[in-house]
Amino acid sequence: MAVLSPSTLSPLLLNTNSEFGSPPSFPLLTFSSAPTTRSSSPLSVSYSKSENGLASEQKKILLERYGYDIDADEYFSHSSSKSKRRKEPLKRRGGKQVQDPPEDPKPPRTTHKLLQVLGGTARRVKLLSPKGMDVRPMMEVVKGAAFDILQAAGGCPAALRPGRWLDLYSGTGSVGIEALSRGCSEVHFVEMDPWVVSDVLRPNLEETGFLDASVIHTVRVEKFFERAEQFVGKCNSGPFDYISVTPPYTQVDYGVLMRQISESPLLGENTFIVVEYPLKTDMLDSCGNLVKITDRRFGRTLLAIYGPTWSQKKKR
């Protein structure tokens, strides 16, 4: 009887396929040498399951007979997969590594209609204002008192003396819109928040019909004062007749702000300034050539109005 022996292979290429009558009952293993790199192993092993199949333990035993270290391969495969995971940076607090919790996304900003125009051609028109404390409009009782004083000081209690108005920290634009409703010819709004300008201020101007008589400056008040000379020269219109200042209380130094206004070319000899400020704030008795006409308190809010000397006689 003739027996066929398997073909002779090199020591680095061994095939366990045999020419015997029945197919082998163990996995067929192929050892091959290939061009190696730094990241690949010099010896690669592949096995295929036979028709009858073997349990995992039998496979390990068979592979160990051929000198293949299974435990080392599993260890390095798991460790390499773990090392690929990106580790999040940890911060040290009190000597311990603490991971910051993920930040919750900010909820979308919404508006509601709680304000209204108090007098003039747009009286009782509802105005938009943001929900929350991001923007704090002037209270209606303070706004009504301010315009009553301005109308009396200007010599016309029934309406506002015509002129141009500068609304600093305008926010919703309720002060400037009130001025347009009561007789002002033009209002410049200065507001740095683009969302407030697009979703609150501009819709309020469209609702009241004063968009054509308005100019919106989306810039910080400090930058606006730095460009005041360029603004006056470009517009060729001179100083404003009215200036309203309603800033966020905790983010403004009133001494610096009033000095910027007094030294600005936007201020004229006959300009009126309306300032809303909180308690425990020292306000000067004058601002440039202007004198303080009135200083009233409304709860925790105070109102100061500066004007020319002749306006004191009109007010009396």
Side-chain angles (χ1 to χ4, degrees):
M1 180 177 65
V3 179
L4 299 176
S5 60
S7 59
T8 305
L9 302 175
S10 65
L12 295 178
L13 183 60
L14 176 61
N15 193 340
T16 59
N17 289 319
S18 62
E19 300 292 339
F20 292 103
S22 61
S25 61
F26 51 85
L28 303 180
L29 290 149
T30 301
F31 293 84
S32 61
S33 64
T36 60
T37 59
R38 294 183 179 179
S39 60
S40 62
S41 174
L43 183 63
S44 62
V45 181
S46 63
Y47 62 92
S48 59
K49 193 172 182 180
S50 64
E51 294 179 359
N52 297 331
L54 292 175
S56 59
E57 293 295 332
Q58 293 176 341
K59 294 178 184 178
K60 291 182 180 180
I61 295 173
L62 185 59
L63 291 172
E64 287 176 356
R65 288 180 183 178
Y66 287 94
Y68 186 71
D69 193 350
I70 298 175
D71 295 335
D73 181 70
E74 291 181 354
Y75 171 77
F76 285 113
S77 63
H78 288 301
S79 62
S80 62
S81 61
K82 290 181 180 179
S83 62
K84 291 179 181 179
R85 297 176 183 175
R86 184 176 295 178
K87 295 182 180 180
E88 297 181 358
L90 299 178
K91 295 183 179 180
R92 291 184 175 273
R93 293 177 183 175
K96 297 181 179 179
Q97 290 185 348
V98 180
Q99 183 176 356
D100 291 337
E103 296 182 358
D104 296 332
K106 294 183 178 180
R109 302 171 74 177
T110 56
T111 60
H112 52 187
K113 288 190 174 182
L114 296 181
L115 304 176
Q116 66 177 349
V117 183
L118 301 180
T121 59
R123 183 182 179 186
R124 296 182 180 177
V125 175
K126 296 292 184 179
L127 302 177
L128 291 172
S129 60
K131 292 182 179 179
M133 297 301 293
D134 293 343
V135 177
R136 182 193 52 79
M138 178 184 281
M139 293 188 300
E140 291 188 350
V141 62
V142 180
K143 183 173 65 173
F147 278 91
D148 289 343
I149 295 171
L150 289 175
Q151 290 176 182
C156 183
L160 196 64
R161 183 169 59 94
R164 299 166 59 247
W165 190 293
L166 176 61
D167 190 2
L168 300 176
Y169 305 96
S170 59
T172 62
S174 63
V175 177
I177 291 174
E178 189 76 31
L180 288 169
S181 178
R182 294 184 183 233
C184 269
S185 57
E186 184 183 53
V187 174
H188 289 252
F189 298 91
V190 180
E191 173 57 45
M192 69 174 186
D193 192 335
W195 180 85
V196 174
V197 171
S198 61
D199 289 35
V200 181
L201 176 57
R202 189 175 293 274
N204 285 339
L205 293 172
E206 293 175 351
E207 181 69 19
T208 53
F210 297 139
L211 186 60
D212 294 337
S214 306
V215 180
I216 301 175
H217 305 272
T218 309
V219 67
R220 300 181 69 91
V221 172
E222 295 80 3
K223 293 292 183 182
F224 184 79
F225 278 116
E226 291 177 2
R227 306 170 186 172
E229 294 183 0
Q230 300 176 2
F231 171 77
V232 172
K234 183 178 179 180
C235 296
N236 194 21
S237 54
F240 285 94
D241 300 288
Y242 302 92
I243 299 176
S244 58
V245 185
T246 56
Y249 291 160
T250 59
Q251 301 178 14
V252 169
D253 186 339
Y254 279 86
V256 175
L257 179 60
M258 297 306 294
R259 184 175 68 252
Q260 288 178 335
I261 296 175
S262 63
E263 297 174 354
S264 171
L266 305 175
L267 185 69
E269 295 180 356
N270 297 321
T271 302
F272 289 89
I273 305 177
V274 180
V275 185
E276 184 185 25
Y277 65 98
L279 286 173
K280 299 181 180 179
T281 302
D282 296 331
M283 296 295 293
L284 300 176
D285 293 333
S286 62
C287 180
N289 297 327
L290 307 179
V291 296
K292 186 185 291 186
I293 298 174
T294 186
D295 197 348
R296 292 189 181 182
R297 177 176 176 178
F298 302 86
R300 300 181 62 85
T301 300
L302 287 88
L303 174 68
I305 297 180
Y306 297 86
T309 54
W310 57 262
S311 63
Q312 289 182 319
K313 301 177 181 179
K314 298 276 186 179
K315 178 175 174 292
R316 291 173 186 173

